Every structure is written in structure tokens, then in C-alpha cells.
Amino acid sequence: MYEGSITIDQDLLDLAGILPYEKVQVVNITNGARLETYTIPGERGERTCCLNGAAARLTQVDDRIIVISYAEMTPEEAANHKPKVVIVDENNDPKRIIENSLHGKVYDLEDGNLI
């Protein structure tokens, strides 16, 4: 039995700082589904972002998703940590990278600007 995973273009993994086989949470903006799985690197430049196995039953083609990676850190590390956000377009081409995402702020998913 294949438990599932998410294949993500290696370029996108690199931009987000997510490692191959790293545990991630996937949040489906379209239908509200949430799941935990792990990443599988896809071919560079193909812009693949595809749930596999049982996880694939929770999404449809063209659903919008958020892939979240978490980290354990000391209080000192956490005080200085700034999340990285990679915003992609409908073809999974990177549109904007937010290097210092701000807690409690809302970003426009189309252009990455603060709302």
C-alpha cells in the first residue's frame, strides 16, 4: 500500500528551503482539506505540484493549496526566525518570494503584497 506524498518541482523546494522527504502539511484552500505527508522532489523546471497516493483523494486539479513546513528550534532561534513564503502563479511559476514574512499580516496571493 502506498501511503501518499506530494511531488514538488525541485526548484520550488529549493526556493522554499524544503528538503526532499521532509514532512509537510498541505492545506487545500479550495475545499478546506488538511493533511500531513512528505515531499518527493520533482523534475526541475516542470513546475509539478502533485499529491500522490491516498492524499490525492483530497484534492482536484486546479485546487489552490498551501504547503507548510515546520521546524523545531530553541527560543533564541525562534526569536530571530523569519518564515519564507514562495508565491506561485496558476502554472506553479514563482511570482514572488517573501523572505521575511510578518506574523499576523495578510498577503495578496496574486502579487504577494501586504493587504
Side-chain angles (χ1 to χ4, degrees):
M1 180 172 119
Y2 184 70
E3 69 277 5
S5 59
I6 184 168
T7 302
I8 301 175
D9 180 311
Q10 182 67 60
D11 289 338
L12 298 175
L13 290 176
D14 291 347
L15 286 172
I18 298 174
L19 298 171
Y21 311 107
E22 183 173 336
K23 181 180 177 181
V24 293
Q25 182 178 33
V26 179
V27 178
N28 187 318
I29 298 170
T30 305
N31 69 19
R34 293 174 170 259
L35 64 108
E36 290 182 343
T37 191
Y38 61 93
T39 62
I40 292 178
E43 291 293 322
R44 289 186 184 278
E46 289 189 0
R47 299 302 183 248
T48 301
C49 188
C50 176
L51 283 159
N52 306 304
R57 296 181 54 87
L58 298 175
T59 61
Q60 299 292 318
V61 173
D62 294 328
D63 281 2
R64 295 179 70 180
I65 63 168
I66 299 171
V67 178
I68 305 168
S69 172
Y70 298 94
E72 290 187 31
M73 53 189 80
T74 66
E76 296 79 21
E77 291 169 325
N80 295 310
H81 177 70
K82 300 292 184 205
K84 184 187 286 190
V85 177
V86 178
I87 297 173
V88 299
D89 65 14
E90 63 277 356
N91 298 312
N92 293 331
D93 288 319
K95 266 188 108 167
R96 179 144 187 223
I97 299 170
I98 303 168
E99 295 281 347
N100 293 316
S101 177
L102 300 172
H103 173 72
K105 302 297 181 185
V106 178
Y107 294 90
D108 183 313
L109 292 177
E110 296 302 317
D111 63 19
N113 293 321
L114 280 171
I115 295 176

